[in-house]
């Protein structure tokens, strides 16, 4: 049984561009605005809604959560995917995925998903969660759009201390992941910074700021003092720039809005101490790399969910350091060009190790109980995959989903009838399944209906 996907028409929203005659600008004025970008306060004039109080009681219904795990370079393609002729529930897990056998009823593998605009065989993560066309803007060699996790975070992250958490690995941009410092991209298509060590993630999520409360409040008040200057500069600049520069200014103001959201949230949680998870996580060692780094990042995510610090996670996982931690001396790029021999052996070992670590992660999600007796796993929509299948191939993106958060019927092997089914159909389905009212995402053509039915 091969599956189809429901289609619907999409009408792109036009972007109005003001036509303004170029004029001579005050360099000092522009630099003054740029220098205050990081310290800007929250802007009422931008229509930003204040967050609910950090102390507001939450519903007794466990919240939905999303996790996106990006592997960067692809997989051992002829060993990772199940047989295309064996679909549905009665499929056999490939050998490299056997560590997931105890969770087979709770995972689903989907084949024939891809991004039609992907054209970079060295960027396994850059466009994975966006589906963007890097050449969409004439004259520019790189363009990206908002990632699905950030769309979800705008809804799921409203009442948590952190709207979303981006985890990464040191040097990930140089080992097959491609441009970006995490898997996340904001509404301007700019990269969202990631926490690139378990130590950084641990302290961000669980360590309390020992600075006196009054001093922290004063720091926020000082940041607000630049508001009038920045707004005045922005208005002055807007009257004197051409169309191209106007677009740049719009991106600047979008960045301001996002910074203001973070600052407003920081203020809302200013006097609230961070909670300690039920299963206390010890401070990680600085030396963690590869396999142990991934294992620790998974533990940190479980702990963060236990205290509801955030509900949206992305993890741009290590590649080269993972291979090194398995005892191999080759680079991920070299390994990906496998045939027979050592490179193939290392590639298959990498795949099996990812499956083992994921199985452990699912174990812990299932073991961690919510107040109503359900588990974290019951309310998580988890995806692990990459934009590359193998070597530099951009078709049939490796895709494994798990958890009950999106309402998907799990325990199956799905093969889409169209070998070019948009991966964005999965992202749209995930958003809709978790209650986010999105009508489209990226180049989506519709929902994957089979995910919601037997």
């Amino acid at each position: 049984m091969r599956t189809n996907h429901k289609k619907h028409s999409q009408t792109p929203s036009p972007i109005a561009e003001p036509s303004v005659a170029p004029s001579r600008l005050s360099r000092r004025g522009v630099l003054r605005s740029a220098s205050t970008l990081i310290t800007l306060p929250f802007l009422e004039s931008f229509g930003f809604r204040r967050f609910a109080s950090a102390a507001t009681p939450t519903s007794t219904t466990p919240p939905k959560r999303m996790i996106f795990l990006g592997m960067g370079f692809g997989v051992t393609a002829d060993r990772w995917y199940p047989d295309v002729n064996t679909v549905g529930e009665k499929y056999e897990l490939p050998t490299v995925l056997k560590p997931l056998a105890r969770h087979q009823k709770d995972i689903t593998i989907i084949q024939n998903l891809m991004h039609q605009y992907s054209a970079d065989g060295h960027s396994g993560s850059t466009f994975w969660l966006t589906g963007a066309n890097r050449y969409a803007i004439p004259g520019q060699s790189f363009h990206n759009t908002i990632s699905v996790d950030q769309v979800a975070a705008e809804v799921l992250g409203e009442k948590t201390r952190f709207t979303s958490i981006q985890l990464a690995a040191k040097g990930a941009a140089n080992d097959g992941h491609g441009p970006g410092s995490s898997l996340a991209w904001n509404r301007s298509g700019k990269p969202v910074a990631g926490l690139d060590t378990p130590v950084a993630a641990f302290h961000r999520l669980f360590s309390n700021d020992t600075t006196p409360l009054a001093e922290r409040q004063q720091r926020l008040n000082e940041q607000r003092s630049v508001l009038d200057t920045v707004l005045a500069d922005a208005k002055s600049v807007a009257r004197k720039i051409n169309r191209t520069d106007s677009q740049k200014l719009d991106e600047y103001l979008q960045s301001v809005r996002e910074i203001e959201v973070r600052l407003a949230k920081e203020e809302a949680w200013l006097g609230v101490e961070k909670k300690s998870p039920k299963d206390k996580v010890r401070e990680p060692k600085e030396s963690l790399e590869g396999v142990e780094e991934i294992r620790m990042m998974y533990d940190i995510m479980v702990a963060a969910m236990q205290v509801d610090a955030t509900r949206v996670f992305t993890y741009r996982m290590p590649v080269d350091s993972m291979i090194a931690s398995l005892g191999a001396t080759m680079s991920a790029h070299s390994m990906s060009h496998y045939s027979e021999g050592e490179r193939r052996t290392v590639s298959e070992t990498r795949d099996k190790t990812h499956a083992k670590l994921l199985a452990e992660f699912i174990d812990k999600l299932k073991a961690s109980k919510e107040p109503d007796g359900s588990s974290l796993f019951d309310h998580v929509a988890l995806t692990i995959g990459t934009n590359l299948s193998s070597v530099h191939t951009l078709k049939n993106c490796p895709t494994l989903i798990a958890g009950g958060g999106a309402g998907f019927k799990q325990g199956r092997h799905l093969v889409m009838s169209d070998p070019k089914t948009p991966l964005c159909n999965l992202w749209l389905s995930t958003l809709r399944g978790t209650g986010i009212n999105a009508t489209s995402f990226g180049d989506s053509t519709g929902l994957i209906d089979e995910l919601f039915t037997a």
Side-chain angles (χ1 to χ4, degrees):
M1 176 187 70
R2 290 176 181 253
T3 62
N4 297 303
H5 55 280
K6 179 180 177 183
K7 294 188 176 183
H8 66 268
S9 62
Q10 300 181 84
T11 304
S13 299
I15 299 176
E17 294 181 338
S19 179
V20 182
S23 179
R24 193 176 177 87
L25 297 177
S26 164
R27 181 175 181 274
R28 181 179 179 183
V30 174
L31 291 179
R32 181 171 55 179
S33 292
S35 68
T36 55
L37 177 62
I38 302 305
T39 57
L40 288 177
F42 120 54
L43 308 181
E44 296 272 359
S45 59
F46 286 141
F48 167 70
R49 290 183 303 147
R50 277 193 179 273
F51 288 97
S53 169
T56 300
T58 57
S59 168
T60 55
T61 303
K64 303 289 188 181
R65 299 180 175 93
M66 285 190 197
I67 302 172
F68 299 94
L69 308 173
M71 297 185 291
F73 265 117
V75 296
T76 318
D78 57 352
R79 296 288 188 272
W80 194 90
Y81 302 99
D83 183 352
V84 294
N85 298 309
T86 308
V87 297
E89 295 180 357
K90 297 182 179 179
Y91 75 97
E92 183 177 354
L93 276 173
T95 301
V96 297
L97 297 182
K98 287 292 187 184
L100 285 160
R102 63 183 180 274
H103 300 300
Q104 187 166 348
K105 292 183 179 180
D106 300 307
I107 65 174
T108 293
I109 299 169
I110 310 175
Q111 292 205 56
N112 285 346
L113 299 178
M114 67 172 292
H115 287 316
Q116 64 171 315
Y117 298 117
S118 291
D120 186 348
H122 288 94
S123 296
S125 293
T126 304
F127 307 103
W128 183 50
L129 298 183
T130 69
N133 178 1
R134 70 175 297 165
Y135 302 111
I137 307 299
Q140 292 186 14
S141 62
F142 183 87
H143 165 77
N144 212 343
T145 54
I146 189 170
S147 51
V148 63
D149 62 291
Q150 292 301 291
V151 173
E154 291 174 353
V155 177
L156 301 182
E158 186 176 10
K159 293 182 180 180
T160 55
R161 183 185 290 269
F162 302 105
T163 304
S164 63
I165 285 292
Q166 294 70 235
L167 305 175
K170 284 186 176 179
N174 301 316
D175 63 3
H177 280 282
S181 56
S182 73
L183 298 176
W185 298 79
N186 67 16
R187 283 207 169 270
S188 297
K190 303 302 180 185
V192 180
L195 301 165
D196 64 0
T197 67
V199 173
F202 174 85
H203 287 297
R204 178 70 171 152
L205 285 162
F206 306 118
S207 294
N208 284 299
D209 190 345
T210 58
T211 306
L213 180 61
E215 186 174 333
R216 282 181 279 155
Q217 183 64 64
Q218 177 61 28
R219 188 168 57 201
L220 288 174
N221 291 339
E222 290 173 356
Q223 290 170 348
R224 286 198 180 86
S225 69
V226 302
L227 175 60
D228 292 339
T229 300
V230 172
L231 288 178
D233 283 348
K235 291 177 181 178
S236 175
V237 169
R239 291 192 294 266
K240 304 175 182 177
I241 57 180
N242 59 25
R243 183 175 301 176
T244 300
D245 286 338
S246 179
Q247 292 174 341
K248 294 178 181 178
L249 182 60
D250 286 343
E251 289 183 0
Y252 172 91
L253 293 177
Q254 177 62 33
S255 297
V256 170
R257 284 191 286 269
E258 292 172 357
I259 290 170
E260 298 321 308
V261 168
R262 293 198 296 271
L263 288 176
K265 178 160 283 193
E266 180 181 337
E267 181 183 31
W269 290 86
L270 200 59
V272 181
E273 287 195 2
K274 295 176 182 176
K275 296 180 181 178
S276 296
K278 177 179 61 177
D279 304 319
K280 192 169 184 180
V281 179
R282 293 185 178 181
E283 182 175 347
K285 296 180 180 179
E286 294 277 1
S287 59
L288 288 182
E289 288 188 347
V291 171
E292 291 306 317
E293 173 189 326
I294 295 172
R295 184 173 280 125
M296 177 55 71
M297 287 296 207
Y298 285 172
D299 286 349
I300 287 173
M301 280 189 265
V302 172
M305 283 182 271
Q306 287 177 348
V307 299
D308 202 23
T310 191
R311 298 172 186 174
V312 180
F313 300 85
T314 59
Y315 183 19
R316 185 165 154 139
M317 294 188 281
V319 182
D320 280 342
S321 66
M322 181 187 185
I323 293 170
S325 70
L326 297 174
T329 56
M330 65 189 70
S331 68
H333 184 267
S334 177
M335 177 202 67
S336 71
H337 289 266
Y338 59 80
S339 52
E340 296 299 330
E342 185 183 8
R343 292 182 183 181
R344 172 179 285 277
T345 299
V346 172
S347 182
E348 292 181 14
T349 301
R350 179 270 319 263
D351 294 342
K352 184 174 289 187
T353 302
H354 266 308
K356 178 183 178 182
L357 291 167
L358 179 61
E360 293 174 0
F361 188 24
I362 293 175
D363 285 338
K364 292 171 182 176
L365 290 170
K366 287 182 175 181
S368 184
K369 299 301 180 182
E370 298 278 18
D372 68 350
S374 61
S375 71
L376 287 176
F377 187 74
D378 294 329
H379 307 283
V380 163
L382 182 153
T383 305
I384 184 169
T386 171
N387 204 39
L388 304 176
S389 57
S390 187
V391 192
H392 301 295
T393 303
L394 294 157
K395 297 179 180 179
N396 198 10
C397 299
T399 306
L400 186 154
I401 61 176
F408 298 155
K409 179 175 172 53
Q410 301 286 7
R412 296 179 293 167
H413 172 216
L414 302 180
V415 179
M416 308 310 297
S417 58
D418 181 353
K420 295 183 178 181
T421 299
L423 179 56
C424 286
N425 284 8
L426 174 59
W427 302 151
L428 178 61
S429 299
T430 303
L431 291 170
R432 292 283 288 275
T434 51
I436 297 170
N437 189 26
T439 57
S440 65
F441 180 79
D443 66 341
S444 65
T445 57
L447 303 177
I448 302 178
D449 290 331
E450 294 79 8
L451 289 172
F452 301 96
T453 60

